[in-house]
Amino acid sequence: EFTEDGYPAIFRKLVSRWPVAGGVVVDGDRETVYAAAGLTHYDGTYVVALDAVSGKLKASNDSSGNLSSQVESGISMQGNLTIADGELRFLGGGVYETARFDLDTLRCLNPERNELTSQYRTAFYPYYPDYGKYVSLEHRCEDGRYLCHDASYEGSLFGNLTLEAALAPGEKRPVKDAAREILRRRGKKPPAPQKLWQDTNDRRFTSFIVSGDRLLTTGHPGNETDQSFLAAMIIEDGSDAWKIATPAQAVKGGTAIDHEGRIYVALENGQLLCYSAAAE
């Protein structure tokens, strides 16, 4: 059974065409909360900036779903919102790897493209929870070393979590696709960075938090999805400072630490767990 505009009827009943699935992001200096919605570009993509105190609308963009007058291609909301290099950004779908917006006006900063073919691949976890649940990591430590973990966009290929040495002056890191970290872009590749340690436990990770000299992780070993864990790894040597079993897998990006050091973990079975240090 289909609706008048060609959608399966059950799809229309179960899935919103404009989910705010990428979460929100806050710019404290501007006292502004940003959000975006839109499952597919041809149904419309909507980006808003709200006053963090009053909730009043400060700026909006409802035109980025169609950036090409020739082929009507545009941006789909396919990733979590971030603020980077003075811009609001999120994964933009098949035509645009990253959607980019001015923080004050929400003017879309992506150029018009008139190609008919898609160039990037995504499997956004809120839309495909059994398909795109694993995370990659590319974190530069204060001393220039990098924590790195590669997971393909659909969750079938993985690299090992590593701590890589700082780059020599003038040396550049390999450029990776934002949605598919395993495959490098075409062209000459720079030398592989030196690995200071490498996690050999064949673990799949669903969240990372870098906190001081620890890397907080959730995941499971290999294909053993029934052996989910929460672990704190020592960044210096890659060993586990501690690890505890969780009753279900953590959702993608489902961990947080509050100002008192308590750890919160959201699980796929609907549970929300809170951990704190044992009383002395």
Side-chain angles (χ1 to χ4, degrees):
E1 183 181 356
F2 292 86
T3 60
E4 292 181 357
D5 50 0
Y7 284 89
I10 190 171
F11 181 85
R12 277 297 184 80
K13 293 178 181 179
L14 298 179
V15 180
S16 168
R17 296 162 68 183
W18 300 281
V20 186
V24 300
V25 65
V26 178
D27 186 320
D29 294 335
R30 290 177 169 80
E31 297 185 348
T32 301
V33 177
Y34 298 92
L39 189 66
T40 55
H41 72 89
Y42 49 79
D43 273 339
T45 299
Y46 300 88
V47 187
V48 296
L50 306 174
D51 184 276
V53 177
S54 67
K56 181 180 178 180
L57 181 67
K58 299 175 70 172
S60 65
N61 185 316
D62 61 2
S63 62
S64 63
N66 185 352
L67 296 178
S68 169
S69 58
Q70 296 184 32
V71 299
E72 298 184 353
S73 65
I75 287 168
S76 300
M77 209 286 293
Q78 290 287 321
N80 295 322
L81 273 64
T82 61
I83 294 177
D85 298 329
E87 299 174 358
L88 176 67
R89 297 179 179 178
F90 52 84
L91 291 181
V95 177
Y96 297 94
E97 181 178 37
T98 303
R100 304 167 50 223
F101 297 86
D102 180 271
L103 287 173
D104 293 317
T105 65
L106 290 186
R107 178 176 63 89
C108 184
L109 303 176
N110 297 87
E112 178 179 342
R113 287 183 177 172
N114 298 314
E115 298 90 347
L116 288 173
T117 57
S118 295
Q119 301 180 54
Y120 304 102
R121 292 159 286 192
T122 57
F124 192 26
Y125 176 67
Y127 306 155
Y128 309 100
D130 290 325
Y131 193 62
K133 64 177 63 179
Y134 301 103
V135 295
S136 297
L137 178 65
E138 193 83 6
H139 175 78
R140 186 183 186 278
C141 302
E142 291 184 359
D143 58 7
R145 297 181 297 178
Y146 274 84
L147 285 165
C148 180
H149 174 66
D150 293 336
S152 63
Y153 81 108
E154 86 298 352
S156 66
L157 298 172
F158 301 89
N160 289 317
L161 175 64
T162 61
L163 179 65
E164 299 176 350
L167 299 176
E171 190 177 359
K172 296 182 179 180
R173 289 186 63 76
V175 178
K176 303 176 182 180
D177 286 350
R180 187 181 177 91
E181 295 277 345
I182 284 290
L183 296 184
R184 307 297 189 262
R185 298 187 190 280
R186 296 177 181 176
K188 185 178 180 180
K189 300 176 184 177
Q194 177 190 0
K195 295 179 180 180
L196 302 177
W197 57 254
Q198 177 174 288
D199 181 50
T200 59
N201 295 314
D202 189 31
R203 294 193 278 195
R204 313 287 189 251
F205 297 100
T206 57
S207 70
F208 291 112
I209 296 179
V210 180
S211 179
D213 61 355
R214 298 290 189 269
L215 176 63
L216 189 69
T217 68
T218 56
H220 59 80
N223 295 318
E224 306 297 331
T225 57
D226 59 341
Q227 298 181 28
S228 53
F229 62 80
L230 167 69
M233 300 179 66
I234 300 172
I235 293 176
E236 188 61 34
D237 61 15
S239 62
D240 289 340
W242 51 261
K243 184 175 75 170
I244 56 178
T246 55
Q249 288 192 71
V251 301
K252 185 176 184 178
T255 52
I257 302 176
D258 71 9
H259 67 289
E260 294 184 355
R262 292 173 295 201
I263 300 170
Y264 297 86
V265 185
L267 304 182
E268 289 186 342
N269 65 1
Q271 286 183 280
L272 177 63
L273 307 181
C274 178
Y275 298 89
S276 61
E280 296 183 355

